[in-house]
Amino acid sequence: MTDVRAVLGATEIFSGLSEEVLGLLAGAASRRELPAGTLLWKQGTPRQALYVILEGSVEISRERDGVVEPLSVEGRGETVGIGAFLHTSEHATLARALTALSVLELPRAEVRARLVSDAAAAMEVLSRVAVVMNRRLQYQSSRAVGPEKGYGSGAVRREHDLLGERDVP
């Protein structure tokens, strides 16, 4: 059995959230097993859920003028569809399972219903969403100079110096 709180806490987007907030999110999560080729969402459909990939991989792509352009492949421990936590606009991309896929699905409506009565928890979650979205936008905008110069995974290491303990990217 998967410890949903631990899985959520190990992701870039939810790392550092309190146990109470992780509990709120875990209560909204459901595990889904999907065969290869399954669409998580189509380009032009409303954003409805965030997915944490437990096993397998997802290709994010977009169609322009009839040509499908692969953008990224996401795997175990990554989150896709995070924009659903901010708004219900339409997806600008398509997400397809490249392999058999196991995900935790966090529906927007269910997460909002759980966070509506706890403003502090809502701010914690939304600030983490904003940080990750900003990091991903920086990565995408750095492609001309090399993605290795712009992408930060969110991983940190603990260091100690004269200023004390710090998390360092």
Side-chain angles (χ1 to χ4, degrees):
M1 173 123 185
T2 302
D3 178 0
V4 176
R5 283 184 195 202
V7 169
L8 293 176
T11 64
E12 175 187 14
I13 193 168
F14 299 128
S15 66
L17 292 178
S18 68
E19 282 297 315
E20 296 83 28
V21 175
L22 288 173
L24 287 171
L25 294 171
S30 60
R31 186 178 181 131
R32 292 184 58 199
E33 305 295 328
L34 307 167
T38 301
L39 293 178
L40 276 76
W41 66 79
K42 292 181 184 179
Q43 190 169 327
T45 59
R47 299 173 191 271
Q48 296 182 348
L50 174 146
Y51 301 89
V52 177
I53 303 170
L54 301 174
E55 295 293 333
S57 58
V58 173
E59 180 183 60
I60 308 296
S61 59
R62 84 174 143 215
E63 184 179 335
R64 282 190 185 172
D65 302 321
V67 177
V68 176
E69 174 187 4
L71 299 174
S72 70
V73 174
E74 306 298 334
R76 184 178 187 178
E78 295 292 331
T79 54
V80 294
I82 65 175
F85 277 21
L86 293 181
H87 47 79
T88 57
S89 64
E90 295 178 348
H91 284 284
T93 60
L94 174 137
R96 178 186 317 275
L98 287 177
T99 63
L101 191 62
S102 178
V103 295
L104 285 178
E105 179 180 32
L106 287 95
R108 170 188 166 75
E110 179 68 23
V111 170
R112 286 179 60 94
R114 290 174 176 274
L115 293 176
V116 73
S117 62
D118 189 338
M123 287 299 296
E124 278 188 68
V125 170
L126 292 178
S127 68
R128 294 299 303 151
V129 168
V131 166
V132 171
M133 288 186 83
N134 183 54
R135 188 173 292 126
R136 289 181 181 179
L137 284 171
Q138 287 176 333
Y139 168 70
Q140 289 298 324
S141 68
S142 71
R143 286 188 139 178
V145 296
E148 68 282 351
K149 293 185 173 111
Y151 180 72
S153 68
V156 295
R157 67 181 184 277
R158 179 64 77 169
E159 288 194 1
H160 179 81
D161 62 15
L162 294 174
L163 298 175
E165 295 284 326
R166 295 205 172 231
D167 287 331
V168 178

